[in-house]
Amino acid sequence: MLLETDKHKSWIDRRIVKEEIDKYMDDGKDFIPHDKIYEQLKANKNPDSQQVRDILQKSLAIKNLTPDETAILMNVTDKDLLEEMKDAAFKVKIKVYDNRIITFAPLYMGNYCVNNCSYCGFRVDNTDQKRKVLSSEEIRREVEVLAGKIGHRRLIIVYGEHPSNDVDYILSSMKEIYDVKVPLPSGGVGNIRRVNVNAPPFCVSDLKKIHDVGIGTYQVFQETYNRDVYSRVHPAGTLKGDYHWRLYCMHRALEAGIDDVGIGVLFGLGDWRFEVLAMIYHSWELENKFGIGPHTISFPRLEPSLNTDMDAFAPFRVSDEDFMRIMLTIRLAVPFTGMILTAREKAQIRREAIALGITQTDASSNIELGGYSGCECGDPQHEDQQQFMLGDTRSLDEVIREFSEMGYITSFCTAGYRCGRTGKCIMDLLRSGTEGKFCKLNAVLTFREWLDDFASPETREAGEKVLNMELKQIEERQPGIWPKFRENYYKICDGQRDINM
Amino acid sequence: MDKEISTCRSAFIADFKKRASELEDRLPVCLQLVEVFGQRWSYIAGSIPQAEQMVNHFRIQINTYFGLIVYSPAVVDEAVIIEIREVMQC
C-alpha cells in the first residue's frame, strides 16, 4: 500500500529551497545560540531588586530588553518584585495599546498534512482523524456565519501542509473570504476586513503571491527553538523535520514584502525558559536584519488531541503559574509587540492574562472543519475533527460582555494595514505611543458598529457603559480630534459602516 | 530582470523621498509611499506622522502598484491635493 507521504514525494521534494536558508545564515550558523542561552539563564539567577527595577524602567520607556535582562526577569522569585513586574506590564500595555482588546476568529481550511508531529492531531499517521479541505461553497458558508451572524471582522485562517492546501488553494480561499458580503439589518454589510494566515513555511516566490492578495499577518510558530526537542517531535525526513526551513521562514516573508509577521512557541514541548529567550533572539534577529520585529507573539500551550500520548510531554508541562510568568516576561521584553492568547486556554486563564498585556484574543471559536456553519456555539467538541481541544468555547457576545465589565473596549478595527500602517511604520507608531491613542478612536467606532449589529441586550448594556466612558475621555483629552471623531461616530449610529479615523 | 526591477524600484523610492521632502517643507503634511496589494497598502517609505497629524489622512492611488498616504493636522483643501498630485505626478 502506498503511504500518504510516498504519494506526495515529488511535491515534498520541491518544497524546501536550500539557498533560501543558507543565504541568511552567518558562516553556516543560525541565530539561536543554544549554549549561550543556557549560560544566560544560569548566570542571571538571584537578581538584586534594584537591577530588576532598572529593567522595568527600560520596559516602561518602551525599549526592547536584551536576552540577559529577560533572563533576569524570568529568575525573579520575590513576591513583591513579581507584583511590581505585573504592575509594569499592565502600564506598558496601556501606554502602547491602551485598554483595547482586538478580537478575531480561527478558521481551519484543511487538515490534510504530510507531517507527522507527535503532538498534533493532524499528523499523517493519525488515521482516526477525519480529513477535509473546505470547498469554495463551504468557505462562503463559514464566512457568512462569522461575518454576518457573529460579527467578526478579522480571521486567522489555518492550513495543514499538504498539496491540497498548497499556495494556489491559499490564494483562492483568501479571495473567497474577502469577497463575502452579508447584508445586515442596519443596512451595512458584514464582511471580513483582515485575513491573517497561519500556514506552513513557504519559499519567497510563493510568499510574494500570498502577499499580493492582501494578507494581514503571516503567522508561523517555530513550536520549539530547541534543536534536540525539535528533532524528537518532528521526525527526520518530514518537511517539518527541517528546523532551519522553519526558522528562516519569517526572513523569507519579510524579503517577500510581508511586513507583518507573527511568531510563537508551542509551550509544553521543551523548557519554557529556554523557549522565551530563544524567541527574544528571534525578535532581535528580525529587527537587526530587517528593521521590523514581530507584529505579534502567540502563546499556544500544548493541549490534548486525538491519539496523542500526553504523558510523553509531562516533563515540560507548563503550569498555570509559569504560563503567566511567560506572558509577563514577554510583555516587558518586547513592549510594542502584539500578544495573542487564544481559546485553547480556559476562561479564567484568559481573564487573568489580559491584565498582563495580552492584546488579541479569539471568541466564538470553532476549530472543526466547517464547524461555524455546521454547529451551534457551545455544541460539544469532536476530538476526531479538530487539531486539539479548546478550553474556552464561549460566544463572542459573552466574551465581549465580560471585557466590557472589566473596563476593556473590544476593537474590530482593521484600518491600519489598509492605509500604510504596516511594518516599520506601525512599529515606530507603537513605540512612540501614538498608535495606541489613535487606534482607540477606531476601536470605539468599530465597537459601536458591532453593538448595533450583533450584541444581545445584556452585552449592549455593558458595552454602552464602556462606550460612554470612552466618548467622554476622547472629548476631554483629545479636543482637536473630537469634532471629526463625533461626526464619524454619528455616521455609524445612522447605519454607515467601515468608517475609520 | 530582477536586478532591473530592483534598480527601478529603488530609483522610484529615492525620487519619492526627494519630492516628499520638498512638499513637507512647504505644506503641513506628512507623506508616505505605499505598495498596493488588494486591501493591503504596505508602507515603503516616508515620514512617520506625529499624533496631531494622524487626525486627517487619506489615500491617493498613484498607479496599479503604488499609492500615497497623506497625513495632516487639519482638513486638506483641494488646492493642496492638486499640488501634491502635481509634484508626485499622480
Side-chain angles (χ1 to χ4, degrees):
Chain A
M1 194 181 88
L2 204 56
L3 294 174
E4 182 70 11
T5 41
D6 293 336
K7 274 195 282 184
H8 305 299
K9 190 172 181 311
S10 67
W11 180 83
I12 291 169
D13 289 346
R14 289 196 310 272
R15 295 280 295 167
I16 296 177
V17 185
K18 195 166 180 307
E19 308 86 77
E20 293 187 5
I21 301 172
D22 295 345
K23 66 186 280 193
Y24 294 116
M25 293 179 93
D26 293 326
D27 294 330
K29 285 187 183 160
D30 66 45
F31 56 85
I32 303 294
H34 279 60
D35 294 342
K36 192 175 172 187
I37 289 177
Y38 283 116
E39 281 164 25
Q40 285 172 318
L41 288 169
K42 201 172 162 189
N44 290 298
K45 279 191 171 157
N46 307 315
D48 78 73
S49 51
Q50 191 51 51
Q51 202 179 11
V52 173
R53 289 190 180 110
D54 289 345
I55 294 170
L56 295 184
Q57 285 309 310
K58 192 174 169 187
S59 298
L60 286 163
I62 317 301
K63 291 194 171 124
N64 280 344
L65 301 185
T66 64
D68 274 308
E69 289 163 339
T70 309
I72 287 172
L73 293 188
M74 279 195 287
N75 281 317
V76 170
T77 52
D78 180 90
K79 281 187 178 167
D80 292 338
L81 269 181
L82 275 171
E83 285 308 310
E84 286 180 45
M85 281 169 62
K86 285 181 190 170
D87 185 49
F90 182 72
K91 284 179 179 156
V92 164
K93 199 256 173 176
I94 295 297
K95 203 168 176 179
V96 179
Y97 287 93
D98 214 325
N99 61 336
R100 288 179 297 135
I101 301 289
I102 293 165
T103 51
F104 64 93
L107 176 58
Y108 276 68
M109 310 299 288
N111 63 355
Y112 284 96
C113 192
V114 295
N115 294 312
N116 210 14
C117 315
S118 58
Y119 52 84
C120 180
F122 291 168
R123 66 186 179 280
V124 66
D125 281 356
N126 194 5
T127 50
D128 291 336
Q129 183 79 44
K130 290 184 180 158
R131 307 283 173 170
K132 189 177 173 66
V133 176
L134 294 187
S135 67
S136 172
E137 182 50 40
E138 286 167 329
I139 293 170
R140 186 162 284 274
R141 281 206 298 267
E142 293 288 275
V143 176
E144 280 169 0
V145 175
L146 284 159
K149 287 189 178 162
I150 302 170
H152 278 295
R153 296 290 168 258
R154 181 186 292 243
L155 296 183
I156 177 84
I157 51 176
V158 185
Y159 301 85
E161 190 158 30
H162 193 270
S164 62
N165 280 338
D166 205 356
V167 68
D168 291 334
Y169 176 72
I170 293 182
L171 303 181
S172 64
S173 53
M174 284 175 69
K175 285 178 193 160
E176 192 77 54
I177 291 168
Y178 277 132
D179 278 350
V180 176
K181 310 260 187 290
V182 187
L184 299 174
S186 61
V189 290
N191 62 330
I192 296 300
R193 300 172 187 164
R194 180 172 176 135
V195 176
N196 299 330
V197 175
N198 181 310
F202 286 100
C203 62
V204 174
S205 62
D206 282 348
L207 286 164
K208 279 184 178 162
K209 291 178 193 166
I210 294 172
H211 180 226
D212 292 0
V213 291
I215 187 177
T217 303
Y218 178 51
Q219 200 183 59
V220 176
F221 305 150
Q222 185 64 22
E223 319 295 13
T224 171
Y225 288 92
N226 183 308
R227 273 191 290 268
D228 293 338
V229 177
Y230 193 93
S231 307
R232 207 159 51 237
V233 297
H234 305 112
T238 62
L239 273 176
K240 202 160 173 180
D242 193 315
Y243 177 89
H244 286 122
W245 179 242
R246 201 166 187 89
L247 189 66
Y248 285 97
C249 158
M250 292 315 178
H251 289 61
R252 297 192 297 278
L254 286 158
E255 183 184 326
I258 299 176
D259 54 2
D260 292 329
V261 296
I263 63 172
V265 157
L266 180 56
F267 286 100
L269 297 180
D271 175 8
W272 65 265
R273 287 181 176 83
F274 176 91
E275 305 292 4
V276 168
L277 269 205
M279 203 147 55
I280 297 302
Y281 273 101
H282 197 168
S283 176
W284 276 59
E285 163 80 4
L286 297 176
E287 284 226 49
N288 291 337
K289 287 243 164 80
F290 300 94
I292 299 169
H295 187 71
T296 55
I297 291 181
S298 295
F299 302 87
R301 186 161 53 155
L302 193 60
E303 291 294 332
S305 59
L306 180 67
N307 297 336
T308 298
D309 175 16
M310 292 304 286
D311 290 343
F313 302 101
F316 296 111
R317 191 165 290 155
V318 178
S319 68
D320 290 351
E321 191 184 344
D322 286 342
F323 192 53
M324 292 296 174
R325 173 70 73 95
I326 290 168
M327 289 180 279
L328 176 60
T329 307
I330 293 285
R331 176 68 299 147
L332 294 164
V334 276
F336 54 85
T337 297
M339 287 176 36
I340 302 176
L341 185 68
T342 70
R344 276 175 184 259
E345 296 297 332
K346 292 186 172 61
Q348 184 56 32
I349 295 287
R350 276 154 50 98
R351 215 168 276 139
E352 289 172 32
I354 295 291
L356 300 178
I358 292 298
T359 60
Q360 293 192 32
T361 195
D362 56 335
S364 280
S365 299
N366 189 315
I367 57 174
E368 276 183 32
L369 276 289
Y372 291 104
S373 53
C375 322
E376 289 297 321
C377 186
D379 278 358
Q381 299 181 67
H382 301 104
E383 206 179 18
D384 60 348
Q385 291 172 47
Q386 52 193 64
Q387 191 179 22
F388 54 87
M389 301 302 279
L390 292 174
D392 184 0
T393 54
R394 288 177 299 163
S395 69
L396 180 62
D397 189 82
E398 287 171 274
V399 171
I400 287 181
R401 192 184 320 145
E402 181 172 282
F403 286 159
S404 300
E405 285 161 0
M406 291 163 77
Y408 290 98
I409 182 152
T410 307
S411 176
F412 293 88
C413 174
T414 54
Y417 92 119
R418 292 186 278 166
C419 53
R421 294 203 297 279
T422 67
K424 189 178 179 313
C425 177
I426 188 81
M427 293 278 154
D428 287 352
L429 288 169
L430 286 166
R431 275 195 192 97
S432 66
T434 306
E435 184 72 5
K437 300 287 170 282
F438 188 73
C439 282
K440 174 73 157 290
L441 305 171
N442 288 329
V444 171
L445 295 175
T446 53
F447 191 42
R448 176 76 272 159
E449 279 189 19
W450 188 86
L451 282 183
D452 288 349
D453 287 335
F454 301 101
S456 66
E458 303 83 10
T459 301
R460 188 176 172 123
E461 191 185 340
E464 294 290 355
K465 283 182 192 159
V466 177
L467 270 186
N468 287 337
M469 201 175 64
E470 297 296 345
L471 291 172
K472 202 172 160 204
Q473 274 186 14
I474 294 166
E475 186 176 12
E476 282 170 11
R477 295 179 192 175
Q478 296 172 274
I481 288 176
W482 174 248
K484 185 177 176 192
F485 172 80
R486 187 179 53 188
E487 186 186 325
N488 285 343
Y489 185 82
Y490 285 124
K491 280 182 188 168
I492 287 172
C493 294
D494 287 343
Q496 291 191 47
R497 293 292 175 262
D498 205 10
I499 297 172
N500 300 299
M501 293 293 290
Chain B
M1 178 71 174
D2 279 356
K3 199 177 169 191
E4 276 172 32
I5 291 169
S6 168
T7 310
C8 185
R9 193 174 187 270
S10 303
F12 186 75
I13 292 169
D15 188 48
F16 159 79
K17 286 181 179 169
K18 200 173 140 210
R19 289 166 195 263
S21 165
E22 184 199 318
L23 277 167
E24 286 173 353
D25 283 347
R26 283 191 286 118
L27 304 168
V29 293
C30 166
L31 295 165
Q32 293 183 344
L33 181 66
V34 297
E35 215 161 351
V36 178
F37 299 101
Q39 297 236 89
R40 185 183 183 89
W41 284 44
S42 287
Y43 172 83
I44 302 176
S47 319
I48 303 300
Q50 302 296 313
E52 64 275 11
Q53 288 178 308
M54 291 185 69
V55 186
N56 293 286
H57 63 90
F58 56 93
R59 314 188 314 181
I60 298 174
Q61 187 137 6
I62 299 173
N63 54 36
T64 316
Y65 309 106
F66 295 102
L68 286 178
I69 307 286
V70 182
Y71 288 97
S72 165
V75 175
V76 175
D77 61 36
E78 198 52 37
V80 172
I81 297 173
I82 290 168
E83 195 173 347
I84 291 170
R85 282 183 176 278
E86 271 175 13
V87 174
M88 291 293 175
Q89 298 177 336
C90 55

